[in-house]
Amino acid sequence: MRWLARIVAGLLLLIALAVLCVWLLLAGSRPRLDGTIALRGLSAPVTIARDARGTPLITAGSRDDLAFALGFLHGQERFFQMDLLRRNAAGELSELVGAPALKVDENHRRHRFRALAEIQLSQLPAAQRVLLDAYTRGVNAGLNALPVRPWEYLLLRATPEPWQPADSLLAIDSMYLDLNQDGENERELNIARLRAAVPKALADFLLAPDSQWEAPLRGEVAAAAPMPDANVFDLRKLKPEKTATSGVAAVIAADRADSGVGSNGFAVAGRLGNGAALLANDPHLGLRVPDIWYRAVMRYPDPTDPHRTRQLAGVTLPGAPALVIGSNGRIAWGFTNSEGDWMDWVRVIRDPKDPARYKTAIGWATIERHEEIIHVHGAPDRHLIVQDTIFGPIMARDVDCTPLALAWIAHLPRAVNLDLVKLEDSRSVEDALGWAPLIGIPPQNLVVADSQGHIGWSIAGSAIPVRNGFDPSVPADWSKPDSGWIGFATPAQDPQIIDPPDGRLWTANQRLVDDGALQLLGNGGYDQGARAQQIRDDLAGRDHFAPPDLLDIQLDNHALFLARWQKVLLQVIATCDPGSSHIPVPAGTSASCTRLLGLKPYVENWQARAAADSVGYRIVRMFHDRAREDALAPFAALAKKKSAEFDWPSREVGEYAVW
């Protein structure tokens, strides 16, 4: 028994030592919160304080010192997140996490973003390069000041590579991938696959927006698309097939995988409040740990007025030195994804005598070949040949197997810069919107409010293509003269709305304009508009606004979009219960009716809200998803027969046709 006691005591001691070692390692990778540290690279002392929520307040003597301090914080607290951003864009995740990331790396490496980032870096104005260099020094100083490398690298048994100036541009490229369909442009491929399987009139009907839900800022709602008759397509002539999903479990899985999240941004003029305009912004990107944003407050002397301190408050993107969303005290700005059309598939017509050549509007050109070496942790390197054209890299095939090159604004040197920092200097809505066409980010809806009570909207993005001579919704041949992207929009062409008559602006990824502006921006898969319409109507329901009123609108969870589907579901349930409301179900009723009647009290009392405690909301939503899925199933089956890769261009497609 004494030996057993000694063994148990020894094991407990070993466990305690192991726990202590793990704790010391984790504690060593925590950011420093107190004390003083001497670092090279600052022109004057910088202080960093934190509020009760841990949000840092940085006070510096210049904007460059501020960038250094912000980089220090990002490097201490978010370096692994930053590392994933740069590796994601560059196609270098496998080097860190191994073979499971190879598929992502192979796709992203075809864009050759690392080589492009070096070109973009060389084109930055001198002042922006100084700012970026200061930020980079700060990141590496923060990382090196940690006693132990970040804990994620301990788990991966890896050493973090120092941050480089070009990596900040790769972080912006990663946002292009996040906001532009991961650079795959599946939407246009699936439209082409559907049109190859059914008549164009039917395809257009299935893809048509539902004008009942549209809420543009300018222009009218779309005209209702006509339903094709049986002369165009007759469903009754299709052979009976099992085209629907195998069960509700498939709907639940799809619902979890694609929740249809979207961003909201809206503003009200100062005359509807207390003089200063108000702005609310919900940038709903995918949930992740840590959150994609890093909140900060930053103070430094105003370069235009040495007696004034400029204060920036909002969120930053770890990996970049600019305030992304927030306020400088004179203006506030926010972003939502524009959902414009920023990429096109181009049919690559090869020379039948020489497959290495392809047709362009000015003659034959030679396909460039780049060998990309992907390092894989714990496995041999993977060699990838990228075939490049003047249109972009070859990345897919059309329905007739013609190679397709991806023309994407993210491939352009002009697509990425640091002009976002110009918003920090803006004094008014007009100032901010003047910078919008020059900001090198994925094109976004920019909503601005200022302290003088003005509000405005425009598209922020420096690479909006001007198209000519082709249908941008499907792959097209650009080898014809005067076809393709024939230039880029000038600042004068950038659509703007300043101080609308009703003093209200709203964006929620919906179509915002019509006519020429819509032709310029294109359609990259706009939200159907139900969220935007609900925000618009909430704004219209008030004559006076204070900040809590905008918060109430942000938190409005009324399920208006599903209200009509709740009524349909009750009608379906009524077919099983014509007049009887008691449960259990009368003898002889089918098992399916038994289940339906079990749902009735929840559906009747669903609260008409997307609330966590509303079982009925979940039931109605699943009913909507399943009804839509079954109604579209015959057309999906035809498209899949033609192209096995077919999927609907978006989770919201077909709402108008199904209803």
Side-chain angles (χ1 to χ4, degrees), residues 463-485:
I464 298 178
V466 176
R467 297 175 168 91
N468 187 64
F470 71 101
D471 178 357
S473 64
V474 291
D477 180 3
W478 289 12
S479 67
K480 302 170 184 176
D482 298 320
S483 65
W485 292 0

Side-chain angles (χ1 to χ4, degrees), residues 537-557:
D537 294 346
D538 283 346
L539 290 171
R542 291 173 167 86
D543 296 324
H544 187 275
F545 293 87
D549 298 316
L550 271 66
L551 179 61
D552 286 344
I553 294 173
Q554 285 182 308
L555 299 179
D556 177 11
N557 64 358

Side-chain angles (χ1 to χ4, degrees), residues 184-388:
E184 295 182 345
N185 202 12
E186 282 289 322
R187 180 176 181 275
E188 287 180 19
L189 289 177
N190 284 319
I191 292 175
R193 291 162 182 161
L194 182 62
R195 287 187 183 177
V198 301
K200 184 177 182 300
L202 174 57
D204 291 347
F205 172 70
L206 294 173
L207 302 177
D210 190 340
S211 58
Q212 176 175 340
W213 297 110
E214 289 196 311
L217 289 179
R218 188 169 73 197
E220 301 298 324
V221 299
M227 180 187 292
D229 60 23
N231 293 325
V232 175
F233 191 87
D234 192 342
L235 272 171
R236 294 168 297 188
K237 295 181 179 179
L238 288 182
K239 294 180 180 178
E241 293 183 78
K242 187 178 180 182
T243 53
T245 54
S246 57
V248 175
V251 178
I252 297 173
D255 184 66
R256 288 174 178 167
D258 182 3
S259 61
V261 298
S263 301
N264 309 319
F266 47 99
V268 292
R271 59 185 170 83
L272 299 178
N274 295 321
L278 295 174
L279 178 142
N281 189 207
D282 271 335
H284 291 174
L285 296 171
L287 292 177
R288 59 193 74 180
V289 178
D291 176 28
I292 188 170
W293 303 119
Y294 183 92
R295 187 182 295 273
V297 180
M298 301 176 279
R299 293 175 180 164
Y300 65 106
D302 191 326
T304 63
D305 182 357
H307 302 293
R308 182 177 181 270
T309 297
R310 179 176 294 175
Q311 176 167 300
L312 307 175
V315 295
T316 65
L317 174 70
L323 187 71
V324 179
I325 296 169
S327 172
N328 66 3
R330 290 177 171 169
I331 69 164
W333 66 93
F335 293 114
T336 62
N337 201 24
S338 65
E339 304 297 346
D341 189 1
W342 313 123
M343 55 181 78
D344 284 302
W345 287 114
V346 184
R347 291 170 59 85
V348 180
I349 312 301
R350 292 184 184 268
D351 183 351
K353 297 180 181 178
D354 183 0
R357 300 201 309 164
Y358 65 99
K359 192 176 181 181
T360 74
I362 57 174
W364 296 101
T366 301
I367 293 174
E368 295 183 19
R369 293 169 60 88
H370 304 279
E371 183 180 14
E372 296 287 326
I373 300 175
I374 302 175
H375 302 302
V376 185
H377 181 73
D381 290 346
R382 178 69 61 91
H383 292 254
L384 176 70
I385 300 299
V386 177
Q387 298 184 74
D388 218 346

Side-chain angles (χ1 to χ4, degrees), residues 27-33 37-42 48 50 65-80 82 133-151 153 160-164 294:
S29 68
R30 291 186 301 181
R32 184 170 180 175
L33 302 180
I37 185 169
L39 296 171
R40 295 182 181 273
L42 291 170
I48 300 173
R50 294 179 187 265
D65 284 355
L66 195 66
F68 182 99
L70 181 64
F72 183 89
L73 292 173
H74 285 171
Q76 289 237 312
E77 300 179 40
R78 298 290 189 92
F79 191 83
F80 185 68
M82 297 161 59
D133 287 345
Y135 175 79
T136 300
R137 292 194 304 272
V139 170
N140 291 322
L143 179 65
N144 294 333
L146 292 173
V148 179
R149 63 186 184 271
W151 63 270
Y153 296 95
E161 297 290 333
W163 194 256
Q164 303 294 334
Y294 183 92

Side-chain angles (χ1 to χ4, degrees), residues 79-88 96 153 160 163:
F79 191 83
F80 185 68
Q81 174 187 1
M82 297 161 59
D83 196 5
L84 293 185
L85 284 175
R86 66 177 172 180
R87 289 179 180 275
N88 178 59
L96 183 64
Y153 296 95
W163 194 256

Side-chain angles (χ1 to χ4, degrees), residues 248 251-252 255 559 562-570 572-573 594-628:
V248 175
V251 178
I252 297 173
D255 184 66
L562 289 176
R564 61 183 184 178
W565 288 95
Q566 184 254 2
K567 295 177 182 177
V568 174
L569 180 52
L570 286 176
V572 172
I573 294 173
T594 302
R595 291 193 294 270
L596 277 174
L597 286 171
L599 303 180
K600 184 177 180 180
Y602 301 105
V603 177
E604 285 182 330
N605 302 305
W606 73 311
Q607 305 174 42
R609 290 180 179 274
D613 61 349
S614 175
V615 176
Y617 170 81
R618 296 296 308 153
I619 295 170
V620 174
R621 177 167 168 170
M622 288 172 59
F623 170 70
H624 162 269
D625 292 350
R626 183 61 188 272
R628 171 190 167 278

